[in-house]
């Protein structure tokens, strides 16, 4: 279920690493230790750039959007900074918010 249903994208690399670690810890919570020892072929899933992407969510050309385009739900939190539409660094996020806003108005 983890590798087929859970995906994320984050611009901060450290947040991606923390998320991957948290997901692996959650996976371990559902597996009993004897099951791990009995299955010699068991390997932890690789989540980096397959499920958890270090990319800009608002960049339509990022590798996240090149590999994924069909979702039932997208849950997120906006950037924790004041967006200034005229600053180039904020342009993609600002345009993304405008596009989302038009879909809900």
């Amino acid at each position: 279920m983890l590798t087929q249903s859970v995906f994320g994208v984050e611009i901060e690399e450290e947040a991606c690493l923390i998320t991957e670690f948290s997901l692996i810890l959650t996976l371990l919570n559902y597996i009993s230790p004897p099951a791990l020892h009995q299955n010699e072929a068991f390997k932890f899933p690789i989540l980096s750039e397959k499920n958890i992407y270090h990319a800009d969510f608002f960049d339509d050309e990022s590798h996240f959007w090149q590999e994924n385009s069909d979702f039932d739900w997208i849950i997120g939190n906006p950037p924790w900074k004041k967006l200034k539409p005229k600053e180039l660094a904020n342009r993609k996020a600002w345009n993304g918010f405008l596009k989302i806003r038009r879909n809900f108005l």
Side-chain angles (χ1 to χ4, degrees):
M1 184 170 100
L2 172 60
T3 59
Q4 295 176 355
S5 300
V6 177
F7 297 89
V9 58
E10 170 61 46
I11 200 164
E12 296 294 332
E13 186 174 16
E14 292 82 12
C16 293
L17 296 172
I18 292 168
T19 299
E20 292 167 28
F21 182 67
S22 296
L23 290 170
I24 293 297
L25 287 177
T26 302
L27 173 70
L28 285 173
N29 191 49
Y30 289 95
I31 300 173
S32 64
L36 289 175
H37 294 294
Q38 292 169 357
N39 183 357
E40 293 180 15
F42 176 81
K43 293 183 179 180
F44 289 107
I46 296 172
L47 302 176
S48 179
E49 303 306 320
K50 293 183 179 186
N51 291 78
I52 306 302
Y53 291 84
H54 175 222
D56 184 344
F57 179 84
F58 296 106
D59 182 358
D60 293 339
E61 296 180 18
S62 73
H63 56 283
F64 170 74
W65 287 115
Q66 299 302 315
E67 296 178 18
N68 302 285
S69 61
D70 186 30
F71 295 99
D72 293 327
W73 293 88
I74 296 177
I75 302 171
N77 62 325
W80 291 99
K81 63 181 181 176
K82 184 174 182 176
L83 292 179
K84 298 175 184 172
K86 295 184 180 185
E87 287 185 16
L88 185 59
N90 297 320
R91 183 89 28 106
K92 289 178 185 174
W94 184 260
N95 290 339
F97 282 126
L98 292 177
K99 186 182 345 177
I100 291 167
R101 183 176 160 206
R102 280 191 292 267
N103 291 336
F104 289 103
L105 294 178

